[in-house]
Amino acid sequence: MSVAADSPPVVEEAPGNPQPGERRAAHAVRAVGLLAAVGVLAVVVLLSVWVGTRDIPFSSTWNVLWHHDGSSDAVIIHSYRIPRTLLGFFVGAALGLSGALMQALTRNPLADPGLLGISLGASSGVVVAIGFLGIASVLGYVWFAFAGAAVASVVVYLIGSSGRSTATPERLVLAGMALTAVLYAFNTAALLLNPLAFNEFRFWNVGSLAGRGYGVLWAVLPFILAGIVLALSLIRPLNVLAMGDQLGKALGANLGRTRLVGAVAVTLLCGAATAAVGPIWFVGLAVPHVARLLVGPDQRWVLPYSLVLAPILLLGSDVLGRVVAAPSELQVGIVTAFLGAPVFIALCRRRKPAAL
C-alpha cells in the first residue's frame, strides 16, 4: 500500500519527554506546593513568637505583636522572641540554600557546607576570639567566626585550584577534608590548653538561637542577603553544570566562574549563619534531598524550596525544644540532630539519594 505524497510525516514522541501542557501542569503543581510551604512557614513563625518558657495567651501575643504597649509580655515578645524568630528564619534559609548549592556544585548528594571546611573555619575563629583574645560576647566573636569561615573557604579554593588543574569538585572536597582535619586538631589543642575558653566555646558550639538579639541579626543579615542573591543568580548555570563539565562547556557555561561565585555564596551563607548561632547539623544536608524528592532535580525549584523548607525545620525544631524541656529548653542544634539524622537515614533507606 502506498502512502499519499502529501500525507504529513508521522513523528514518534519520546516516551519520557513531557509535552508542553504537561510541563505547564507540573510547574503549576510545584508553584502551588511552594505557596503551601510558605503558608506552613508563616504558621511556624507565629508559633515561634507565641511559644516560650513564659506562657502568654495567643490573643495577647497577637495584640502586642502589632502594638508595643510597654507591658512585660510586649517586652518579652519584641525584645526576645521576635529577634530570635527572625534570626532563625534567615539562618535556616541560609543553611538550606547553601546545602543545596554545595550539592549542586560538587554533584555530591552527601555534600554540605562543612565539607569545604567552612564550619570548622568559623569554629576556629571563635576559638581564637575566646581563647587568645578573651572575647566572651556573641556579638564580639561573631565577626571572628565569619572571618574564619571566609579564610577557610579561600584556602580551600586556592589549594583546590593549585597546579595545572582547575578547581574541580573532587579537588575542592579533598582540600576541604584536609583543612577540616587541621582545623579540628588546632581547635582541640587550643581548648584543652585553656579550660575557661572551652567552657565558653561549648555554649556556642552546641548551636542555639537563644540569647541572640537584634545586634547579632543586623551583623549577619547583609551577608546572608548577599549570599541569597548570588545563589539564586546561579540557577541556570547549575542546571547546565549538572550535565557534566564537558557538556556544560559545549553549551557555553563558564564552569570556573560558576564554581567561584557558588563558593562565595556558600561562604557568605554558611559563614554568617554559623557565626550567628553556632554549627547546626543536618539542615543543609537533609533539606535539599526533601526538596528534590518533591520537585525533581531542576534547580529552578530546588533552590526556592530549600530556601523555604529549611526555616520550617529550624524554627520548628526551636519551638519543639522549648516545649519538650519546659520550663527549660533544648538548644536547636540538638533538636535538629535528633530530627534530621533519622529522617535522612529513612530517605537513604527508602531510595537512593535524590538525583542531582
Side-chain angles (χ1 to χ4, degrees), residues 64 69 120 161 251 274 298 341 348:
V64 300
D69 56 11
L120 261 297
S161 60
L251 294 175
T274 305
D298 190 346
C348 293

Side-chain angles (χ1 to χ4, degrees), residues 57-81:
F58 181 78
S59 57
S60 301
T61 302
W62 183 260
N63 289 332
V64 300
L65 184 62
W66 308 106
H67 305 287
H68 195 319
D69 56 11
S71 63
S72 60
D73 291 347
V75 172
I76 290 173
I77 290 174
H78 284 273
S79 300
Y80 296 98
R81 294 187 185 176

Side-chain angles (χ1 to χ4, degrees), residues 8-354:
V10 178
V11 179
E12 294 289 343
E13 296 291 346
N17 189 25
Q19 296 301 302
E22 296 176 349
R23 288 197 296 268
R24 286 194 294 269
H27 286 313
V29 171
R30 291 166 179 166
V32 171
L34 186 60
L35 289 176
V38 171
V40 174
L41 177 58
V43 173
V44 174
V45 166
L46 284 177
L47 285 174
S48 179
V49 175
W50 175 33
V51 177
T53 55
R54 174 168 175 173
D55 188 15
I56 302 176
F58 181 78
S59 57
S60 301
T61 302
W62 183 260
N63 289 332
V64 300
L65 184 62
W66 308 106
H67 305 287
H68 195 319
D69 56 11
S71 63
S72 60
D73 291 347
V75 172
I76 290 173
I77 290 174
H78 284 273
S79 300
Y80 296 98
R81 294 187 185 176
I82 289 180
R84 178 174 182 164
T85 300
L86 289 175
L87 186 62
F89 172 84
F90 285 107
V91 165
L95 292 175
L97 197 57
S98 62
L101 193 57
M102 271 294 303
Q103 293 174 14
L105 287 172
T106 62
R107 297 198 296 276
N108 181 355
L110 298 180
D112 73 338
L115 199 63
L116 292 186
I118 296 176
S119 297
L120 261 297
S123 298
S124 299
V126 175
V127 169
V128 170
I130 296 174
F132 296 96
L133 301 178
I135 298 174
S137 67
V138 176
L139 190 57
Y141 55 66
V142 65
W143 296 106
F144 289 86
F146 186 77
V151 171
S153 63
V154 171
V155 170
V156 167
Y157 188 82
L158 291 177
I159 295 174
S161 60
S162 62
R164 297 181 179 180
S165 178
T166 59
T168 62
E170 294 80 9
R171 289 170 61 90
L172 290 175
V173 169
L174 290 174
M177 293 175 64
L179 183 63
T180 295
V182 173
L183 293 177
Y184 180 79
F186 167 77
N187 291 350
T188 303
L191 293 174
L192 287 176
L193 294 174
N194 191 339
L196 294 178
F198 173 76
N199 190 51
E200 180 70 29
F201 174 79
R202 65 190 179 94
F203 288 105
W204 176 86
N205 194 51
V206 73
S208 176
L209 296 174
R212 275 72 166 172
Y214 282 111
V216 175
L217 174 64
W218 302 140
V220 300
L221 185 58
F223 301 103
I224 292 178
L225 293 178
I228 291 175
V229 172
L230 286 178
L232 296 180
S233 70
L234 295 175
I235 286 179
R236 291 187 181 276
L238 289 176
N239 274 336
V240 176
L241 190 65
M243 302 178 185
D245 288 5
Q246 293 184 350
L247 185 55
K249 290 179 181 179
L251 294 175
N254 189 331
L255 304 184
R257 176 184 176 276
T258 299
R259 291 194 176 111
L260 178 59
V261 174
V264 172
V266 170
T267 301
L268 291 172
L269 292 168
C270 182
T274 305
V277 302
I280 304 290
W281 304 109
F282 286 106
V283 175
L285 180 62
V287 166
H289 281 271
V290 176
R292 287 194 295 273
L293 286 174
L294 294 175
V295 299
D298 190 346
Q299 298 298 328
R300 292 176 297 176
W301 294 103
V302 171
L303 294 186
Y305 265 79
S306 299
L307 189 67
V308 176
L309 293 177
I312 294 176
L313 174 59
L314 189 64
L315 288 175
S317 298
D318 190 41
V319 172
L320 183 62
R322 302 179 217 173
V323 172
V324 298
S328 184
E329 65 178 64
L330 283 177
Q331 283 76 14
V332 67
I334 298 174
V335 181
T336 55
F338 273 113
L339 294 179
V343 169
F344 188 70
I345 292 173
L347 289 174
C348 293
R349 288 177 59 86
R350 181 169 177 262
R351 62 178 71 184
K352 294 180 179 180

